[in-house]
Amino acid sequence: MEIKKMGIMGMGAIGGIYGKELMNTFGDDFYAVADGERGERLKKNGIKVNGDTIFPKVLSTTNPETKLDFLILAIKNYQLEESFSEIRNIIHKDTIILPLLNGVTATERIKEAFPENEVLRGLVYITAEKRENGEIYSNNKGTITFGDTENKELSQSVKLVKDIFDKAGINYNIPEDMISAQWRKWIINIGSNQVSAIVRNGYGKFLEIEELNKVLKNAMFEVVEVAKACGVYLPVEDVDGYDERLKVSQPDLKTSTLQDIENKRRTEIEYFAGDLIRMAKKVGVSVPVNETLYYLIKSIEKMYS
């Protein structure tokens, strides 16, 4: 198996940042997967990423010119199932699929739809946003964390993706325990994304306002309790040490959920508090803070004019 053709479905903030690096390295072997009006807009206007406008080749799923050997999914969680029919047209049985979706359920959902394919686990640590003018901005290159469920010895698929990222200069991390790694990112989403969306402010306010910091931490501590009940390693130190990570974040940058609320888009709340509430119920853990955050964000969505 060799990766010759690769692409990203979902050229938003995350897809744009990493799509730029892959296109600059692999040229016409990299594709932005898009159809209809979005595809035509990409062809005509390209994407502006950190001041540079790029024009990646566009791969239509309705009439694809090729099949991809490696597909990165950077779409929203709620778009995943509806994308399966499109994905099926641009992959073959040996295509490696790497989801970079928020939450902890994407890999299992993809594996169920594409049992023949290698579906890795993945997540991204990066602060990136798509601004009102459509420009994608990030103050750093971030890090993609990926791999199989366990990575004591790297599989051929993980090695192939590692080689792609090495060539493109993309920062990555391959932990031994990807389940734990996913939950350690999920706990941040559940805390900062949800709270920031409700108070309509960026990362800086979490350190400025003591009461806001307490809500953030209480939401995160509930994730730790659910993780314990589910047998997932999630150190409580991740909560206690989150303030240090906030100190190096740009205070005005906005979480993805806040960006969704401001643009009156559907949020990923079902894959943050929603999934946590459902898991907590199964293992008998109470999560009142996250239930409140869930109901508030669902209410905000219903109040869109």
Side-chain angles (χ1 to χ4, degrees), residues 143-158:
T143 300
I144 294 178
T145 298
F146 78 100
D148 293 311
T149 298
E150 295 181 356
N151 297 288
K152 292 180 181 179
E153 293 185 9
L154 301 188
S155 67
Q156 181 64 17
S157 295
V158 172

Side-chain angles (χ1 to χ4, degrees), residues 160-178:
L160 287 169
V161 174
K162 176 181 179 296
D163 184 57
I164 292 294
F165 290 164
D166 280 333
K167 290 177 181 176
I170 292 173
N171 299 327
Y172 63 84
N173 177 40
I174 307 172
E176 285 192 7
D177 183 353
M178 267 301 299

Side-chain angles (χ1 to χ4, degrees), residues 201-217:
N201 263 286
Y203 290 95
K205 297 300 179 184
F206 292 131
L207 291 175
E208 287 181 24
I209 301 173
E210 180 182 356
E211 292 82 1
L212 193 59
N213 191 269
K214 286 182 178 179
V215 175
L216 170 80
K217 299 289 181 60

Side-chain angles (χ1 to χ4, degrees), residues 33-63:
V33 180
D35 285 291
E37 183 182 338
R38 181 174 297 176
E40 292 303 315
R41 191 166 60 246
L42 271 172
K43 292 176 184 177
K44 181 180 178 180
N45 302 324
I47 310 170
K48 195 170 186 179
V49 181
N50 286 337
D52 298 323
T53 301
I54 62 171
F55 289 87
K57 287 186 70 175
V58 176
L59 180 64
S60 168
T61 65
T62 56
N63 187 26

Side-chain angles (χ1 to χ4, degrees), residues 220-268:
M220 295 173 77
F221 279 125
E222 289 183 351
V223 185
V224 174
E225 293 305 310
V226 175
K228 287 179 184 177
C230 292
V232 175
Y233 172 68
L234 186 59
V236 70
E237 290 80 11
D238 280 12
V239 181
D240 294 328
Y242 189 48
D243 285 353
E244 294 303 313
R245 299 183 67 168
L246 289 171
K247 288 177 183 178
V248 298
S249 299
Q250 283 193 285
D252 294 331
L253 283 177
K254 301 172 182 178
T255 66
S256 60
T257 308
L258 174 55
Q259 293 177 57
D260 288 338
I261 291 289
E262 288 185 336
N263 290 285
K264 297 184 178 180
R265 295 190 297 250
R266 184 179 175 183
T267 72
E268 293 185 289

